[in-house]
Amino acid sequence: MTEIGKRGLLGLAAAAMAAPALAQPAFPSRTITMVVPFAAGGPTDTVARLIAQAMTGALGQTVVVENVGGAGGTLGAQRTAQARPDGYNILMHHIGMATIPTLYRRVPYDAINGFETIGLVTEVPMTLIGRTGLPAQNMAELVALVKREGEKLNYANAGIGAASHLCGLLLMQALGTRMTTVPYRGTGPAMNDLLAGTVDLMCDQTTNTTEQIKSGSVRGFAVTTADRLEALPDLPTAAQGGLPGFEVSVWHGLYAPKGTPAPIIQRLNQALVTALQDPNVATRFAALGTAPVPVARATPQAHREFWQADIAKWRPLIQAAGQYAD
């Protein structure tokens, strides 16, 4: 065979080897599903839909939200953990990602190592609220009331593992006093009974409580952040009300199945960062009493470090309470 013929065959072989790589479409080439492991209309769903809409513009492909609720958020998390790691199935989850490894002693997926982190999204403050007829007008009076009445007071939460449940654990630890906890199947029923005066207290995200506090349908006692909130300027912090160290927020983060290639994680992170800098997202978050996290905290590495630290924070509290979800 002539030298020219050999070069031709080599060229054809190289082209054949490159063809599969060239045939791979750039990511993303189709719709991405963002799983929310809770019902539609809740705070995590609200955050997810705002981010999904903004990421759609950044990616040039639709990001659709799919609600896969049940089992304290573990069903949706399992769905994502077991999905194909190609970037087309991602998960928006809240602080439950840090508590599931302790709250659930048996889950059908790896609750710690089964995911790639894409980035933190927001930290939603919580507020301590009570029924309007409660005989306490401010945080100092509430602290005295709880220490005096203890288990005579009913504390509502949205179920074991819910943000309101975790906030209650931290509150009772800070007060050194137990109250009677009343778990519900979701924030909605718990809030309805608080509005009706059936239960006394509740702690929940500003995404659910801001408008209720402003309207006067519930009594706001404190916000669980180091500083007052722009959306609720008259509501003191817990520390200002005489309960230092009582700080808790419900953070949300974005995840992909373990093994999702690094370039895809990077592309998704870039879209997330673009979404977090979207003025509409910032405006909508502000109306809910929260804000996008700074870009430095939205990296996959920063997200993973924060997540792991929160697992370590909540583990002893949950173990001390002895309340498990399974």
Side-chain angles (χ1 to χ4, degrees):
M1 182 179 292
T2 66
E3 188 63 30
I4 294 175
K6 289 180 180 179
R7 287 200 298 267
L9 285 174
L10 288 171
L12 288 172
M17 292 174 65
L22 293 173
Q24 294 294 323
F27 177 84
S29 61
R30 55 186 171 87
T31 297
I32 295 171
T33 298
M34 181 185 292
V35 169
V36 172
F38 304 103
T44 303
D45 180 70
T46 299
V47 168
R49 291 181 187 278
L50 287 172
I51 294 298
Q53 182 180 24
M55 286 182 68
T56 291
L59 291 167
Q61 292 288 343
T62 303
V63 181
V64 297
V65 171
E66 182 178 356
N67 299 93
V68 184
T74 61
L75 290 184
Q78 178 186 355
R79 168 89 158 267
T80 304
Q82 297 175 349
R84 186 175 178 180
D86 56 8
Y88 291 99
N89 290 275
I90 58 178
L91 172 72
M92 178 75 77
H93 210 316
H94 64 24
I95 191 174
M97 286 292 281
T99 60
I100 284 171
T102 308
L103 271 173
Y104 290 81
R105 291 161 291 187
R106 295 173 297 276
V107 287
Y109 63 96
D110 191 332
I112 298 176
N113 300 307
F115 302 90
E116 304 288 351
T117 48
I118 297 171
L120 283 172
V121 176
T122 184
E123 283 195 81
V124 181
M126 301 195 77
T127 50
L128 181 59
I129 57 177
R131 60 182 175 86
T132 55
L134 200 66
Q137 299 296 317
N138 53 50
M139 190 64 188
E141 291 182 7
L142 179 65
V143 168
L145 178 68
V146 172
K147 289 185 174 182
R148 183 173 67 249
E149 300 294 332
E151 293 185 349
K152 293 180 181 178
L153 294 174
N154 294 319
Y155 174 87
N157 65 53
I160 292 178
S164 51
H165 168 239
L166 299 173
C167 187
L169 289 181
L170 202 63
L171 175 64
M172 286 183 274
Q173 183 201 49
L175 291 170
T177 305
R178 296 200 62 81
M179 292 179 279
T180 297
T181 56
V182 184
Y184 289 81
R185 291 189 174 184
T187 300
M191 178 65 80
N192 288 340
D193 272 9
L194 185 69
L195 292 170
T198 307
V199 292
D200 300 306
L201 292 167
M202 184 177 171
C203 186
D204 204 12
Q205 302 175 60
T206 53
T207 47
N208 284 342
T209 63
T210 298
E211 293 306 317
Q212 302 282 13
I213 294 170
K214 286 182 175 180
S215 69
S217 54
V218 299
R219 183 171 296 159
F221 289 103
V223 61
T224 64
T225 50
D227 302 302
R228 294 194 185 210
L229 302 179
E230 188 175 325
L232 295 165
D234 296 329
L235 193 65
T237 68
Q240 290 170 338
L243 195 61
F246 178 53
E247 293 182 17
V248 59
S249 61
V250 182
W251 52 269
H252 294 79
L254 206 56
Y255 305 81
K258 186 71 175 179
T260 301
I264 292 178
I265 294 295
Q266 183 180 11
R267 182 73 182 95
L268 289 167
N269 176 259
Q270 289 170 348
L272 173 61
V273 169
T274 299
L276 295 177
Q277 295 175 317
D278 186 318
N280 179 60
V281 170
T283 299
R284 294 288 302 278
F285 274 15
L288 297 171
T290 186
V293 298
V295 171
R297 297 189 63 206
T299 68
Q301 182 62 28
H303 180 185
R304 179 163 291 278
E305 290 174 359
F306 180 81
W307 175 28
Q308 299 302 310
D310 227 36
I311 291 174
K313 168 188 172 180
W314 286 105
R315 181 176 286 124
L317 285 174
I318 294 167
Q319 291 173 336
Q323 296 178 335
Y324 298 96
D326 59 1

